[in-house]
Amino acid sequence: MKLTVIGLSHHTAPVSLRERFALRTGSSTSEASTATELEETLDALRGLEGVSEACVISTCNRVEYYVAGGDPSRMKRELQVYLQSMAGIPLSELSPHLYAHEGEGCLQHLFRVAGSLDSMVVGEPQILGQVKQAFQAAERRGAVGTKLGKAFQKSFAVAKRIRNETGIAENAVSMSFAAVELGREIFDDLSGKEVLLLGAGEMATLAAKHLMAHGVSRVRVASRTFATADKLAQEIGGQPSTLEDLPLLLSKVDIVICSTAAPGYVVDKRMMSQAVRDRRYRPILFVDIAVPRDVDPRVGEVDNCYVYDVDDLKAVLETNRELRRKEAEAAEELIRGELEEHVRWAKSQEVVPVIKALREKATIIARGEAERTLGHMRDADPKTAKSIAAMSNAIVNKLLHPVLTKLKAASRDGGAHDYVDALTELFDLETSAELEAKPAAETPTNVVSIDSRKAGGMS
Amino acid sequence: MALTLLTACAVTYGIAAVLGMVQLLSPRLKDERIAFGALVVGTLVHLLAIGARTAELGSFPMASTHDALSLFGFSIAALALIIAGTQKVPQVVPLSATLVAGMVFLAAIAEPAPQVPEKFQSPWLPLHIAFAFLGNAAFVVAGIIAVVYLIQENRLRRKKSRPTRPPTGLQRLPALEVLDRTSVRLIEVGFPLMTLALASGMLYAREVWGQLWRWELRNVVALLVWVLFLVLLHFRITIGWRGRKAASLTVVGVGAILISIVGLRMLGFGHHQ
């Protein structure tokens, strides 16, 4: 089983391309009855040849497809073909914007993403939650097994360490910071200004809270359904409305934070040309963190309308980059250490199923023989029975000890593969691959069954 | 004596202009008060120069190109100081200091003419000159702020607005709203002054030439500028119109004023010739 990731992010692709891949997770809406775009994608990925596990991270800055399965290069090819068909553009145009990692590289990339080192705002805290959500969604869909499961769990632990042990999060500034900074370039004083939250995204909510902390007097929330808007409005103390009121709202508010999941533009040039007259040409700022974008870029051509999408915010956020660089280096070092340790652990894990199977087999034989011997000895007292059982165990242990020592040593150097194959073949063991292919949830039952057999033998 | 003082004043304005420009363009000089201080000194020296010139002439100097440029420059410098001191727009200092330094330099090299001849004297003349200079100075400072507005607007529109570290003065401009508000207030002050200047100018013309209006180039420019600001204010008050185009029009109007007062005068298109 090998890990592979293919993806595109703010480093490699403009928002106009990223928005073609962005998936609606639909986690917070009421459309749970039908499969969400994300779930459909997960199913489609697992349908690809050689792929047995899949997980997709889709945020406004990245879309990444993590898979586990057989031959990495074949999985990569399959994924590329899949992405090409999804985007509807030829691979030759698409591939400059794609990056791919496999095996250790894939793991390292995942650690960097979860640890917020690959973020547009390095150190911003939201990404870990987003990775967790992506993993949980894949888990619910039954798309992840042991391999991806372990990788993601590890990435969460690494991200936590990075946050606690480096200063990276302290200097982190986020989209909300950018919204406030931009607001100050346009408006004299944020107090007395009105903010409109278009859509109820987590980042947008944070930005609204940030703006309120800087004196913004009034927040309005507009969503497709009144219920969603009302819920968020109550949470942050704003006024709810639906998207139908948008033309009226646009003639009133000063700052609009957009984060709807709408597939097309919610605010277009014509709507804004009208609204700008109604608002007596007062300036208005759009901070559009939705992908796909909510605001037609041409709205920026309208007088006194300033439209910033996620990529434009990038420039705003460059400010504190220098400060964070040092902390980022420390975090990278931490990741390297974790990665080395993980690889060592993973290599030792390679021999674990064989060791387990070998021990099990030998123990069953020894116990069986001991019981048979005791069956012939009618006058054997408990003490004798115990001695015979102990002897059989000792023979097994003595016999296996040098074998297992060699095996473990070889696994640390990474050369245990031949031994594993030979032992499996010679002793006719249940192979490691079979064990590993079973989803994580089933592993405990396996362990229990061994224990119960052992317990049964003892009685 | 008056001419020496005026030259010293031009040099001081020049220093204020250079300090202000360095502050705008370099990330190192952060303190805006240095250029402001230089402009204060320049304005005080200017006041002394005007006093000395008054003593030389025996009456307030206002007739020749030399005196007109000097007085107009003084009005702009004084108004710029007031705006920089009271509003959050320190950027008017370098821009107006540059402009005023140029004007006073031209004044210093222009031939100082004697006082207005007897037959052109009228009580309307000092009123007309005072209104015209104050009104035009308000327009010019409004235009300077409109230039800053356009720079800031352009930064926001290009979206590459992030500063170097530390930022230069040009990367720490006031908010658009502040610039817009200050510029429009100055136009609101300048417009009635210019209206009075036109009216008193007409009364003066009737007294001296026997006709209210003469179609000469400088009068036409003044009238057009007056109409331009009338239109700007009209749309601001009725529909709230503002922004990039309004600021550009302000700059165009102020450009016309400067060409009319400085350029045409230097080329000999003045009155009374």
Side-chain angles (χ1 to χ4, degrees), chain A residues 188 193 300 306-308 315, chain B residues 153 156-157 159 162 177:
Chain A
D188 179 17
K193 299 297 173 203
Y306 302 93
V307 183
Y308 282 73
Chain B
E153 215 269 351
L156 284 168
R157 206 163 278 282
K159 295 161 184 177
R162 268 311 91 185
E177 259 191 352

Side-chain angles (χ1 to χ4, degrees), chain A residues 280, chain B residues 228-241:
Chain A
R280 290 178 62 82
Chain B
L228 173 74
F229 284 111
L230 175 69
V231 171
L232 265 179
L233 281 181
H234 170 76
F235 284 119
R236 176 61 175 242
I237 290 161
T238 51
I239 62 168
W241 191 64

Side-chain angles (χ1 to χ4, degrees), chain A residues 62-83:
Chain A
R62 69 183 66 249
V63 185
E64 296 186 330
Y65 305 83
Y66 289 87
V67 293
D71 178 16
S73 49
R74 198 172 65 186
M75 287 196 291
K76 204 175 119 184
R77 268 201 309 279
E78 291 274 330
L79 277 169
Q80 281 174 337
V81 172
Y82 172 73
L83 292 185

Side-chain angles (χ1 to χ4, degrees), chain B residues 62-64 116-117 120 125 128-129 204 208-209 214 216 218 265 269-273:
Chain B
M62 53 190 177
S64 64
V116 183
F120 290 134
L125 185 59
H128 168 67
I129 289 174
Y204 170 74
V208 177
W209 291 291
R214 294 206 306 180
E216 62 175 60
R218 283 193 50 208
R265 247 183 196 283
F269 281 94
H271 298 286
H272 330 303
Q273 253 81 58

Side-chain angles (χ1 to χ4, degrees), chain A residues 79-152:
Chain A
L79 277 169
Q80 281 174 337
V81 172
Y82 172 73
L83 292 185
Q84 178 188 353
S85 69
M86 259 194 39
I89 49 175
L91 194 57
S92 54
E93 265 175 58
L94 184 60
S95 54
H97 300 287
L98 294 177
Y99 49 84
H101 304 284
E102 55 188 66
E104 245 177 82
C106 171
L107 205 58
Q108 186 183 21
H109 182 74
L110 178 60
F111 288 179
R112 295 190 73 245
V113 170
S116 193
L117 287 174
D118 200 51
S119 297
M120 185 182 275
V121 185
V122 172
E124 57 96 358
Q126 285 97 354
I127 183 67
L128 180 58
Q130 288 164 336
V131 175
K132 276 185 180 164
Q133 271 174 14
F135 176 67
Q136 282 158 4
E139 217 176 22
R140 272 198 303 276
R141 196 65 181 173
V144 291
T146 339
K147 193 75 184 175
L148 276 183
K150 283 204 173 114
F152 273 81

Side-chain angles (χ1 to χ4, degrees), chain A residues 129-200:
Chain A
Q130 288 164 336
V131 175
K132 276 185 180 164
Q133 271 174 14
F135 176 67
Q136 282 158 4
E139 217 176 22
R140 272 198 303 276
R141 196 65 181 173
V144 291
T146 339
K147 193 75 184 175
L148 276 183
K150 283 204 173 114
F152 273 81
Q153 294 295 355
K154 187 73 192 170
S155 78
F156 303 153
V158 171
K160 209 169 159 189
R161 271 196 67 196
I162 289 175
R163 199 187 289 181
N164 293 339
E165 295 173 27
T166 74
I168 202 159
E170 284 161 31
N171 289 320
V173 284
S174 57
M175 297 287 177
S176 41
F177 169 84
V180 171
E181 285 294 288
L182 281 170
R184 285 204 176 127
E185 298 253 20
I186 294 172
F187 306 108
D188 179 17
D189 190 354
L190 289 180
S191 65
K193 299 297 173 203
E194 280 190 39
V195 174
L196 170 64
L197 283 187
L198 207 53

